[in-house]
């Protein structure tokens, strides 16, 4: 499923401009890494993509459908095809690993259909298969809050697999993990995405992981696009400039300031 972000703008009620005319696309099967310093608009972008925050103007288009004006039934069907992996694992800690994975079906099935006691045999098998894929089938009956951070993120990936997603939005998926667990989770997430030909838009701070896994880099500064190019064409100097450039789009006295040089593909 193709994602198109077109002239996306987001202004909060206090007047803060978080996104200022952002445009980029992600093709089916493509892995795009979003880079930028704190406050550049990455988190707001992910909130807009996932529907947590309404956009001010512009378009977010999935599979040819503009999410801003899609009928509710069509919007719900589209969101069922979107998988999310966040920095916070969003587990129900006092429930089992298997139950948390079954919750991945709630976008298309009732609560009772997603309950371990009332789910169909086929759905429980699907959940166990997802857990096996992330290497945690042997912990299906364990309370989720007894797992390590890396294990909980694996459960989150298994839960995403239960959605049969075509598009994945990942917001700092390894930010709370140690380097070893982070490497393992990134390898798992990317391998699952490639196996299923999903597209992924992923916010990362760890440049070494971005270099290892990203096919394209999208660099944001003050809610605007600084660069969008294949990762191999973005130099370390370009990335260093991205993280050193923290100028706002408009100065405090509302006088325009010079924007940093654009890096072209």
């Amino acid at each position: 499923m193709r994602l198109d972000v077109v002239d996306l703008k987001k202004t909060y009620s206090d007047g803060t401009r978080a996104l200022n005319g952002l445009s980029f696309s992600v093709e089916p099967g493509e892995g795009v890494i979003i880079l930028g310093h704190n406050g550049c608009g990455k988190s707001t972008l992910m909130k807009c993509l996932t529907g947590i925050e309404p956009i001010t103007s512009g378009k977010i288009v999935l599979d040819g459908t503009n999410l801003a004006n899609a009928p509710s039934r069509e919007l719900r069907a589209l969101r069922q095809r979107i998988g999310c992996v966040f920095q916070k694992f969003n587990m129900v800690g006092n429930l089992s690993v298997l139950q948390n994975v079954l919750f991945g079906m709630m976008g298309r099935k009732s609560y009772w259909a997603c309950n371990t006691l009332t789910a169909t045999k086929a759905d429980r098998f699907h959940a166990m298969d997802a857990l096996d894929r992330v290497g945690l089938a042997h912990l299906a009956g364990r309370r989720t809050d007894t797992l390590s951070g890396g294990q909980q993120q694996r459960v989150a990936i298994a839960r995403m697999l239960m959605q049969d997603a075509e598009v994945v939005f990942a917001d700092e998926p390894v930010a709370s993990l140690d380097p070893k667990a982070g490497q393992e989770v990134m390898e798992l997430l990317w391998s699952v995405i490639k196996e299923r030909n999903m597209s992924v838009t992923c916010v990362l701070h760890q440049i070494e992981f971005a270099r290892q896994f990203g096919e394209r880099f999208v660099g944001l500064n003050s809610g605007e696009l600084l660069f969008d190019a294949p990762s191999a064409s973005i130099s370390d100097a370009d990335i260093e400039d991205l993280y050193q450039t923290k100028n706002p789009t408009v100065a405090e006295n509302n006088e325009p300031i010079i924007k940093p040089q654009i890096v072209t593909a």
Side-chain angles (χ1 to χ4, degrees), residues 83-103:
C84 298
V85 181
F86 299 107
Q87 177 180 347
K88 294 183 178 179
F89 315 124
N90 297 318
M91 299 286 114
V92 183
N94 63 346
L95 297 180
S96 71
V97 168
L98 179 61
Q99 179 61 85
N100 275 273
V101 174
L102 284 167
F103 282 150

Side-chain angles (χ1 to χ4, degrees), residues 208-219:
E208 66 275 16
F209 289 156
R211 285 288 191 201
Q212 185 175 354
F213 297 101
E215 301 165 26
R216 260 176 60 213
F217 289 166
V218 170

Side-chain angles (χ1 to χ4, degrees), residues 222-260:
S222 301
E224 297 184 357
L225 188 71
L226 187 63
F227 56 69
D228 178 0
S231 54
S233 70
I234 301 296
S235 69
D236 290 342
D238 294 330
I239 293 176
E240 185 175 353
D241 287 345
L242 174 68
Y243 282 91
Q244 288 181 346
T245 303
K246 298 185 178 181
N247 293 330
T249 304
V250 176
E252 291 183 1
N253 61 2
N254 290 325
E255 290 297 325
I257 62 173
I258 299 174
K259 292 163 57 177

Side-chain angles (χ1 to χ4, degrees), residues 1-6 23-32 49 59-67 78 81-82 165-169 197-201 216 228:
M1 191 182 346
R2 177 184 167 99
L3 167 69
D4 292 290
V5 175
V6 183
S23 296
F24 67 93
S25 298
V26 183
E27 297 289 343
E30 189 175 22
V32 173
L49 291 176
K59 295 190 293 185
I60 298 174
V61 181
L62 273 174
D63 202 25
T65 299
N66 184 356
L67 300 188
L78 274 173
R81 300 160 67 188
I82 299 171
E166 298 174 44
V167 172
V168 177
F169 298 135
N197 198 38
M198 300 185 231
S199 64
V200 57
T201 304
R216 260 176 60 213
D228 178 0

Side-chain angles (χ1 to χ4, degrees), residues 52-250:
I52 296 173
E53 284 285 349
I55 67 175
T56 300
S57 64
K59 295 190 293 185
I60 298 174
V61 181
L62 273 174
D63 202 25
T65 299
N66 184 356
L67 300 188
N69 56 21
S72 57
R73 179 176 296 182
E74 186 175 358
L75 185 61
R76 180 173 180 175
L78 274 173
R79 284 179 172 165
Q80 290 171 7
R81 300 160 67 188
I82 299 171
C84 298
V85 181
F86 299 107
Q87 177 180 347
K88 294 183 178 179
F89 315 124
N90 297 318
M91 299 286 114
V92 183
N94 63 346
L95 297 180
S96 71
V97 168
L98 179 61
Q99 179 61 85
N100 275 273
V101 174
L102 284 167
F103 282 150
M105 301 188 300
M106 287 190 69
R108 62 181 187 275
K109 296 192 176 185
S110 70
Y111 169 81
W112 293 110
C114 301
N115 190 283
T116 51
L117 297 177
T118 51
T120 66
K121 183 178 180 180
D123 285 338
R124 288 197 302 271
F125 180 85
H126 189 187
M128 288 301 299
D129 186 58
L131 280 171
D132 183 63
R133 177 61 188 85
V134 302
L136 293 181
H138 62 294
L139 298 179
R142 179 88 67 86
R143 275 179 57 130
T144 311
D145 57 9
T146 67
L147 303 184
S148 68
Q151 289 172 327
Q152 289 193 54
Q153 196 62 295
R154 287 172 178 266
V155 176
I157 294 171
R159 183 179 57 194
M160 180 265 292
L161 291 176
M162 283 297 291
Q163 296 179 247
D164 295 324
E166 298 174 44
V167 172
V168 177
F169 298 135
D171 190 6
E172 299 284 1
V174 296
S176 60
L177 304 180
D178 63 62
K180 182 177 184 297
Q183 177 73 35
E184 292 171 351
V185 167
M186 284 297 297
E187 288 177 354
L188 173 63
L189 178 62
W190 239 251
S191 65
V192 165
I193 286 166
K194 293 306 177 183
E195 285 171 10
R196 302 195 175 203
N197 198 38
M198 300 185 231
S199 64
V200 57
T201 304
C202 179
V203 171
L204 280 179
H205 272 309
Q206 299 89 341
I207 301 302
E208 66 275 16
F209 289 156
R211 285 288 191 201
Q212 185 175 354
F213 297 101
E215 301 165 26
R216 260 176 60 213
F217 289 166
V218 170
L220 301 187
N221 179 59
S222 301
E224 297 184 357
L225 188 71
L226 187 63
F227 56 69
D228 178 0
S231 54
S233 70
I234 301 296
S235 69
D236 290 342
D238 294 330
I239 293 176
E240 185 175 353
D241 287 345
L242 174 68
Y243 282 91
Q244 288 181 346
T245 303
K246 298 185 178 181
N247 293 330
T249 304
V250 176

